[in-house]
């Protein structure tokens, strides 16, 4: 059973806890959660796919849990999504309605509200492990986001593998304040907790002060963050020290800078566990509670996952800790496909079942992996968000004052990379930043727009982005 802690038979037999989920000022016991989510399941059962506005609220938790009980794939939508991105996601996914919170503009789709106080004790058969749990939209280097379809089996395999690596048990109290529309916050945070059976606390935002408070008020033991979160914790020594008594601090979604790793160790006494993955593969590499946690390295393959490192011809690259190669991963945690995009799927998922991550890595003789960077400059990681340069360029070109646009990620101490757009045209930078926010999600807005006379191009007319990143 995917959400093992919500097994109706064991909950009915008394396996309840008062604080299964705390989010947005509401705390749900396990039986409350099961009863209310089963009531949601009754109302959405039979639907093909539904959109869930992924706010950090009890309503969202119940919507998602209800879909998983009923076996209805859900499509998490960023709450701040802009008009163009939302229209694409709704059309591409074929979502039949909104479940839970309703956005300002429902785009003509019907709405099924979630009732916090409704209860049903109907017992659903567990959906097939190979069936889709959700469709999650993620950016590529070009074009609109693609819908990653992930099975229940993949999620279960990944959570169990991480539980083994992190010694994650029902005695943990998991805390994070990350978005509920990405793997990190949704799959590991919420679904992980509902599978393992530990209390889950969502802090709304992942600020150092709220993490410190969750340690004190909820007894948080296991804290998740993207590197930006940990860097802000290090910059707030009082909050950092409050996390000393936690069990494990886990970083992922982007490279954790070595000074942040060292700062966390100095202030909290914890060497953070670093892990690596993607929307497509879920989490495939991690350091372990009982193993080496080496700054700058993301560890070993998790259970049942294999990795390989190859050069441009596909030939294996030596595991000497120095030679760069393209990282491929294989195992039970991989996605099924990009929805409606067989060619795009075939580009990254080969006939032997290896996922080509697009990341460049090294592996040392002990099997430790270090992620060196991306093969393409057009996939930007900012604050742990994956952002496609092409998607932002297309949005900018939709503005009448823009003739040419090139978007790059430039190094940033806080965010890892920050989005900078070079534009040929006569619009105001502030207007363009707001325009992108209207069309796409807020986190896809360029931090800076530089108006230039021309873009540097090679003889073929291709923009020389490396020159813009200097
Ligand atoms: C942001 N702001 C802006 C702009 N961008 N204002 C004007 N122009 C812009 N271009 C505003 C924000 O709205 C915010 O305003 C303020 O500036 C500060 O923004 P920011 O620096 O971004 O800080 P933040 O809002 O506190 O966000 C930082 C964050 C966030 C919390 C770390 O980036 C985040 O939640 N990241 C997590 C992403 C994630 O979960 N990725 C996982 C992907 P105001 O203060 O008024 O709001 S899943 C994955 O990667 C895999 C599977 C894995 O390995 O986990
Ligand atoms: P997403 O689909 O948003 O999860 O983005 C996946 C990408 O994030 C990966 O392909 C990597 O480029 C990057 N990533 C995730 N975790 C790490 C990590 N621990 N270190 C470096 N890069 C990471």
């Amino acid at each position: 059973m995917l959400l093992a802690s919500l097994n109706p038979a064991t909950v009915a037999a008394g396996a309840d806890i008062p604080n299964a989920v705390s989010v947005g000022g509401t705390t749900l016991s396990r039986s409350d959660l099961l009863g209310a989510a089963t009531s949601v399941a009754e109302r959405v059962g039979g639907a093909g796919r539904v959109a869930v506005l992924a706010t950090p609220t009890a309503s969202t938790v119940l919507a998602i849990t209800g879909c998983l009980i009923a076996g209805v794939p859900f499509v998490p939508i960023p709450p701040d999504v802009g008009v163009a991105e939302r229209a694409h996601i709704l059309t591409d996914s074929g979502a039949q309605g909104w479940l839970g919170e309703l956005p300002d503009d429902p785009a003509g789709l019907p709405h099924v509200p979630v009732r916090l106080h409704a209860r049903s004790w109907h017992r659903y058969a567990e959906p097939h492990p190979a069936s889709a749990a959700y469709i999650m939209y993620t950016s590529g280097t070009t074009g609109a986001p693609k819908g990653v379809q992930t099975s229940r089996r993949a999620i279960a395999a990944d959570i169990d593998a991480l539980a083994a690596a992190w010694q994650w048990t029902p005695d943990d109290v998991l805390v994070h304040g990350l978005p509920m529309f990405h793997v990190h916050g949704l799959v590991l945070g919420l679904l992980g907790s509902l599978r393992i059976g530990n209390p889950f606390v969502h802090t709304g935002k992942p600020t150092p002060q709220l993490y410190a408070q969750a340690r004190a008020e909820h007894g948080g033991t296991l804290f998740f963050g993207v590197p930006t979160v940990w860097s802000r914790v290090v910059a707030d020594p009082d909050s950092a020290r409050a996390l000393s008594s936690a069990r494990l601090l886990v970083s992922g979604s982007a490279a954790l800078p070595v000074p942040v790793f060292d700062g966390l160790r100095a202030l909290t006494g914890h060497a953070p566990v670093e892990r690596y993955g993607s929307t497509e593969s879920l989490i495939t590499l991690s350091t372990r509670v009982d193993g080496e946690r080496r700054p700058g390295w993301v560890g070993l393959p998790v259970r049942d996952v294999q990795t390989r490192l190859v050069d441009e011809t596909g030939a294996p690259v030596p595991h000497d800790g120095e030679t760069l190669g393209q990282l491929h991963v294989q195992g039970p945690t991989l996605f099924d496909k990009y929805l409606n995009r067989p060619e795009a799927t075939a580009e990254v998922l080969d006939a032997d079942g290896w996922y080509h991550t697009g990341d460049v890595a090294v592996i040392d003789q002990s099997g430790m992996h270090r992620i060196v960077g991306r093969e393409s400059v057009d996939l930007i990681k900012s604050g742990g968000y994956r952002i496609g340069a092409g998607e932002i360029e297309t949005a900018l070109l939709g503005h009448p004052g823009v003739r040419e646009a090139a978007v790059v990620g430039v190094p940033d101490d806080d965010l890892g990379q920050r989005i900078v757009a070079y534009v040929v045209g006569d619009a105001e930078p502030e207007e363009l930043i707001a325009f992108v926010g209207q069309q796409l999600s807020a986190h896809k807005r360029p931090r800076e727009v530089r108006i230039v006379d021309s873009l540097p191009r090679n003889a073929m007319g291709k923009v020389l982005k490396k020159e813009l990143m200097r």
Side-chain angles (χ1 to χ4, degrees), residues 141-440:
T141 51
T142 56
K146 298 187 284 279
V148 174
Q149 179 179 308
T150 297
S151 68
R152 303 171 71 94
R153 180 158 58 201
I155 295 171
D158 204 45
I159 294 168
D160 292 350
L162 293 175
W166 302 343
Q167 296 175 1
W168 176 5
T169 73
D171 293 334
D172 276 306
V173 176
L174 193 156
V175 177
H176 79 72
L178 298 166
M180 299 289 275
F181 47 90
H182 281 313
V183 164
H184 198 158
L186 174 67
V187 177
L188 309 195
L190 176 64
L191 305 188
S193 299
L194 298 184
R195 182 165 176 81
I196 303 292
N198 59 272
F200 169 70
V201 178
H202 195 287
T203 58
K205 284 204 133 216
T207 64
Q209 300 80 2
L210 290 170
Y211 277 25
Q213 206 177 318
R215 169 67 205 140
E217 288 175 10
H218 295 274
T221 62
L222 180 56
F223 287 77
F224 288 173
V226 296
T228 301
V229 170
W230 295 123
S231 152
R232 293 176 185 183
V233 166
V234 168
D236 177 349
D238 287 342
S239 298
R241 279 185 216 105
L243 298 180
S244 306
S245 52
R247 187 177 73 79
L248 205 61
L249 311 182
V250 182
S251 180
S253 305
L256 183 68
V258 171
V260 177
F261 184 109
D262 291 341
L264 272 181
R265 183 153 49 188
L267 287 164
T268 68
H270 289 286
V273 157
E274 205 181 344
R275 92 298 177 290
Y276 157 91
S278 66
T279 309
E280 289 86 342
S281 67
L282 303 183
I283 307 310
T284 50
L285 296 167
S286 183
T287 55
R288 273 142 224 274
V289 166
D290 55 0
E292 186 192 4
R293 302 182 213 170
R294 195 190 301 170
W297 294 70
V298 295
L300 306 167
V302 300
R303 193 168 71 198
D304 296 332
V305 165
Q306 291 92 42
T307 61
R308 69 182 184 194
L309 212 50
V310 298
D311 65 18
E312 307 75 55
T313 68
V317 156
H319 293 186
D320 57 9
E322 283 175 16
T323 313
L324 304 181
Q326 301 173 3
L327 181 65
H328 297 176
V329 300
Q330 189 185 48
T333 65
L334 300 197
F335 71 132
D336 300 331
K337 62 178 182 179
Y338 294 122
L339 193 69
N340 308 323
R341 301 289 304 277
E343 301 84 14
T345 306
E347 267 174 37
V348 296
L349 204 53
D350 70 25
D352 299 324
W354 289 92
Y355 170 61
H356 299 203
T357 64
D359 289 310
V360 177
V362 300
I363 304 179
D364 78 1
Q365 284 167 348
S366 68
M368 271 280 212
H369 293 60
R370 184 161 72 84
I371 307 299
V372 177
R374 299 254 352 147
E375 284 169 40
S376 169
V377 293
D378 284 331
L379 260 194
I380 299 167
K381 267 270 158 167
S382 188
Y385 283 115
R386 168 170 153 187
I387 298 152
E391 189 186 359
I392 303 177
E393 288 158 4
T394 305
L396 286 167
L397 289 167
H399 188 282
V402 175
R403 289 195 293 282
E404 295 174 47
V407 168
V408 292
V410 304
D412 185 282
D413 285 345
D414 182 44
L415 299 166
Q417 288 184 299
R418 75 173 179 282
I419 307 170
V420 175
Y422 287 81
V423 165
V424 180
D426 45 23
E428 288 299 319
E430 287 310 318
E431 186 189 336
L432 293 180
I433 291 170
F435 181 72
V436 173
Q438 254 163 35
Q439 298 297 314
L440 310 176

Side-chain angles (χ1 to χ4, degrees), residues 44-71:
V44 289
R49 250 168 237 152
V50 295
V52 175
L53 197 68
T55 50
T57 58
S59 166
T60 300
V61 167
L62 292 173
I64 287 168
T65 310
C67 285
L68 289 168
I69 290 173

